[in-house]
Amino acid sequence: MSAFPLALPNDADLSARLSARIGQHWHRLLAALRPLYGEGAWEGELAARLLGAAIVRPADLRALDQVREASPDWFQQPEMVGYCTYIDRFGGTLAGTREKLNELSRLGVRYFHPLPLLKPREGDSDGGFAVADFRQVDPKLGSIDDLRALASDLRARGISLCLDIVCNHTADTHDWALAAKAGDPKFRDFYHVVESAEQVAAYEAHLGQVFPQTAPGNFTFVPEMGGHVWTTFYPFQWDLNYANPAVFIEMMDVLLYLANQGAEVFRLDSAPFLWKRQGSDCRGLPETHLVVRAWRAALAIVAPAVALKAEAIVGLAEVLPFLGEPKQPECHLAYNNTAMTSLWAALATGDTRPLSTCLTQALAKPVGAGWLTYVRCHDDIIWGALKGVIPDETLAWISDFYAGAVPGSFADGQAFQAEPGAVRSTNGMAASLVGVRDGADNAAALARLRLLYGVTFALDGIPAIYMGDERALTNDTDYAAEPDHDDGRWLHRPRMDWTRDGGPTHAAIARFAQLRQGRACLHAGNPARPLLTADPALLAFERADRGGDRLICLGWFKGEGMVMDLSGLLGSGDWHDLLDGTDVNAQSVAMAPWGLRWLVAKNG
């Protein structure tokens, strides 16, 4: 193990804290990076960047570091409720968003995730995911000073700011890319350039495609680069070359810079794609996990208040490694994508067994890590994540159901793209997918929306509200009228309608958040354990704390009500429903159409 190569600052308090953190995490950082880069001069540069960021870290954020070090499970607390939106769709600008924070507080939000807001390329930027400058904000939204002010206002309300870090690629107009195109060999090595078409074909033989219709293939010929640049997503998004230690250090420096502006969580966009190896699908390779593990260690030295969240929208077997192991931690959080996808599948089919299977598989999560649970997000619902859990023909039927192509479907969504032979994914706002239509009788649709959110809020992790769901906001069918919005996912990225009455949906979501507060069994360290039921339409799982606190969530995935004897499931004790305030007899449990119950022992 190598000692930290630089002298610590003269500030006695800072030096003492840095010394303790370096003693704990520097060796972990090197243990992750040396298998990738060997020993070399990069280690000195790495240390210099860490020390520089630590010295300029603001005093209030250093204080938060100390609080979080004393309570490392802060993100697992039951009070944590998330909200995800686009700044321009929510508040218009960062300053306008600061004026809307009461809306978040009324919903019980403690975690705010604005989607990409760093400076994008001009024109189409894949919704902001083609970043031209990691240290500047999109000028349409404000400035870096506005971002700091938003972070400060949120922190004063006990709300943590989550920022997207597009770590797999940059825009083709980023300074690094422009220098590479100008012939600078240093920056050419920041990207993957394959010179021959034969080499491209050799890679492509093993690679999938993210956007097979709108951006087929994984390489783009760039004349100035004298070859094909690796572009997993769109031709204007150039994949970074993490085999170059300078790339790791620069992206680590970006994380530290934004942490010092007040970011408390980083969503690592497209995390599985970071490392490339010919003959593989280049997704979730072991080297990728070393990179993420190293970022975790670097943040633990400089900004231990900050958490990492993996954006790995794949099956659980591929997601779980991003949470690491107790002695080799990676991300603090990951999206529980299969729970979300199987929740929608259950709503379409009336069969909750695949959801119970996914919840059982999720029990393999490390105790110290957490899930981000959700009903909808800015992306499409990818049914392929349930391959092996639900038969392909059933997944295809579900895709058609949500596109409104199945007789009797209540959904108003649209099918999106997929690789040849794969099931097409689904676009649409949650309200539209459950059947909300303006001017119609939406009682059943709103019951379905409440059911989805009620289950999600009862699961372990941070339940996240997607923008407008609290107001049952429907699809933006005119999305293509806006410039650079031809991607079908803009269907579910509408502008917030602040005049729309949230009504029962807003009240229900706020109530879920209120009931989570202080409920020991809803700490994320207490996982959701599925309970066996006789009817596949009945979802049942429990959350239990060692201190005796226990909650059982029941969800009924049928449009006809039912009264059932659940004494075999609940036992002979008396129960109380937290949601409607009534007492429940286990021998005659009434479930309304699309019904939901949160049961606790009476007087519990």
Side-chain angles (χ1 to χ4, degrees):
M1 182 180 73
S2 299
F4 192 75
L6 301 176
L8 298 184
N10 292 328
D11 182 313
D13 181 64
L14 175 60
S15 179
R17 293 192 179 279
L18 273 179
S19 179
R21 293 171 188 159
I22 287 169
Q24 186 176 359
H25 302 292
W26 175 247
H27 72 283
R28 288 202 299 111
L29 183 53
L30 295 184
L33 294 180
R34 281 179 173 171
L36 302 178
Y37 308 130
E39 297 184 36
W42 61 266
E43 294 182 20
E45 180 64 18
L46 178 73
R49 299 289 186 98
L50 290 170
L51 194 57
I55 290 171
V56 300
R57 186 155 172 80
D60 58 338
L61 297 178
R62 290 185 194 175
L64 183 63
D65 290 334
Q66 295 182 44
V67 171
R68 296 273 169 87
E69 283 182 301
S71 303
D73 65 342
W74 63 272
F75 58 90
Q76 295 182 296
Q77 296 300 318
E79 291 78 15
M80 293 297 291
V81 170
Y83 193 98
C84 179
T85 188
Y86 284 93
I87 292 294
D88 65 328
R89 320 309 265 181
F90 184 79
T93 63
L94 291 167
T97 297
R98 292 173 65 194
E99 297 175 0
K100 298 292 186 183
L101 297 188
N102 283 341
E103 298 289 331
L104 299 181
S105 293
R106 278 193 282 270
L107 287 167
V109 171
R110 300 289 296 276
Y111 164 107
F112 181 58
H113 173 203
L115 286 151
L117 52 73
L118 300 179
K119 185 179 179 180
R121 74 190 296 272
E122 294 292 328
D124 190 358
S125 65
D126 186 22
F129 285 98
V131 179
D133 191 334
F134 291 106
R135 288 176 166 79
Q136 293 297 324
V137 167
D138 183 343
K140 296 175 184 177
L141 304 179
S143 67
I144 199 72
D145 290 336
D146 292 323
L147 180 61
R148 277 196 298 270
L150 174 61
S152 179
D153 285 358
L154 289 168
R155 195 160 54 251
R157 293 171 176 261
I159 302 174
S160 296
L161 174 64
C162 172
L163 292 184
D164 280 284
I165 292 296
V166 185
C167 50
N168 177 71
H169 47 263
T170 72
D172 58 355
T173 56
H174 192 286
D175 283 349
W176 303 339
L178 294 177
K181 282 193 281 190
D184 188 326
K186 171 185 174 182
F187 290 103
R188 179 185 174 87
D189 197 34
F190 270 46
Y191 302 96
H192 297 272
V193 184
V194 178
E195 295 183 356
S196 74
E198 291 77 15
Q199 284 180 296
V200 168
Y203 276 110
E204 289 280 19
H206 301 277
L207 299 177
Q209 299 183 71
V210 177
F211 301 124
Q213 276 74 55
T214 55
N218 292 273
F219 293 86
T220 300
F221 183 74
V222 180
E224 301 96 319
M225 300 290 280
H228 301 78
V229 176
W230 202 311
T231 54
T232 297
F233 293 87
Y234 283 101
F236 50 77
Q237 291 166 300
W238 290 13
D239 286 34
L240 288 163
N241 175 20
Y242 279 92
N244 178 354
V247 170
F248 172 85
I249 290 172
E250 289 298 337
M251 291 307 296
M252 179 198 74
D253 209 41
V254 166
L255 289 169
L256 299 177
Y257 171 78
L258 292 172
N260 282 352
Q261 310 313 307
E264 296 180 28
V265 183
F266 290 119
R267 173 186 177 274
L268 299 181
D269 179 66
S270 306
F273 297 89
L274 298 183
W275 200 270
K276 322 296 188 188
R277 185 194 305 145
Q278 188 168 329
S280 76
D281 65 359
C282 298
R283 299 191 185 190
L285 294 175
E287 294 89 343
T288 291
H289 292 284
L290 292 175
V291 169
V292 175
R293 196 177 301 164
W295 279 331
R296 170 78 177 256
L299 284 166
I301 292 172
V302 176
V306 175
L308 294 176
K309 178 177 64 173
E311 192 255 345
I313 309 303
V314 286
L316 268 175
E318 299 166 87
V319 174
L320 286 167
F322 280 96
L323 296 173
E325 302 171 3
K327 292 185 177 180
Q328 295 180 320
E330 294 185 28
C331 290
H332 303 74
L333 294 159
Y335 288 90
N336 196 340
N337 170 60
T338 56
M340 178 276 294
T341 311
S342 57
L343 186 61
W344 282 104
L347 196 71
T349 64
D351 186 353
T352 68
R353 290 173 296 184
L355 174 54
S356 292
T357 296
C358 291
L359 295 180
T360 299
Q361 293 172 347
L363 294 173
K365 174 187 66 64
V367 172
W371 293 118
L372 192 291
T373 58
Y374 60 117
V375 173
R376 280 302 286 118
C377 71
H378 70 288
D379 269 331
D380 45 315
I381 301 175
I382 302 173
W383 303 111
L386 296 178
K387 191 174 183 64
V389 178
I390 295 177
D392 288 354
E393 58 271 21
T394 304
L395 291 175
W397 182 90
I398 293 169
S399 174
D400 289 342
F401 180 93
Y402 283 110
V406 171
S409 170
F410 49 69
D412 185 21
Q414 293 180 8
F416 195 43
Q417 52 191 303
E419 293 187 58
V423 175
R424 296 180 71 186
S425 58
T426 294
N427 288 335
M429 289 292 288
S432 292
L433 295 179
V434 300
V436 172
R437 288 171 174 82
D438 292 341
D441 179 0
N442 288 311
L446 293 176
R448 290 188 283 265
L449 187 57
R450 176 179 180 267
L451 172 61
L452 296 181
Y453 265 96
V455 169
T456 298
F457 268 66
L459 292 173
D460 51 305
I462 300 176
I465 306 160
Y466 183 61
M467 59 177 192
D469 281 358
E470 75 278 12
R471 295 171 182 261
L473 198 60
T474 52
N475 291 338
D476 179 7
T477 55
D478 297 325
Y479 68 88
E482 291 192 50
D484 303 313
H485 282 192
D486 54 340
D487 186 314
R489 291 171 297 171
W490 285 102
L491 182 70
H492 50 260
R493 301 171 184 176
R495 293 188 184 278
M496 180 66 82
D497 182 356
W498 292 106
T499 67
R500 190 182 182 96
D501 181 9
T505 303
H506 192 289
I509 290 177
R511 177 68 171 154
F512 297 148
Q514 179 188 40
L515 290 173
R516 284 177 60 92
Q517 294 183 18
R519 194 93 217 178
C521 68
L522 296 184
H523 184 284
N526 301 316
R529 297 185 181 277
L531 302 173
L532 183 64
T533 64
D535 192 322
L538 180 65
L539 172 72
F541 60 86
E542 71 172 346
R543 304 284 305 282
D545 179 72
R546 290 182 180 179
D549 189 33
R550 185 183 183 213
L551 179 145
I552 292 180
C553 177
L554 300 178
W556 181 242
F557 284 74
K558 277 187 179 179
E560 303 81 29
M562 178 70 72
V563 177
M564 57 193 77
D565 183 350
L566 296 183
S567 54
L569 181 74
L570 300 175
S572 58
D574 294 324
W575 295 85
H576 181 75
D577 188 343
L578 294 176
L579 299 179
D580 66 12
T582 62
D583 292 338
V584 175
N585 186 310
Q587 293 180 324
S588 58
V589 180
M591 298 300 297
W594 314 109
L596 173 73
R597 290 189 180 275
W598 283 12
L599 299 181
V600 297
K602 193 171 180 182
N603 302 320

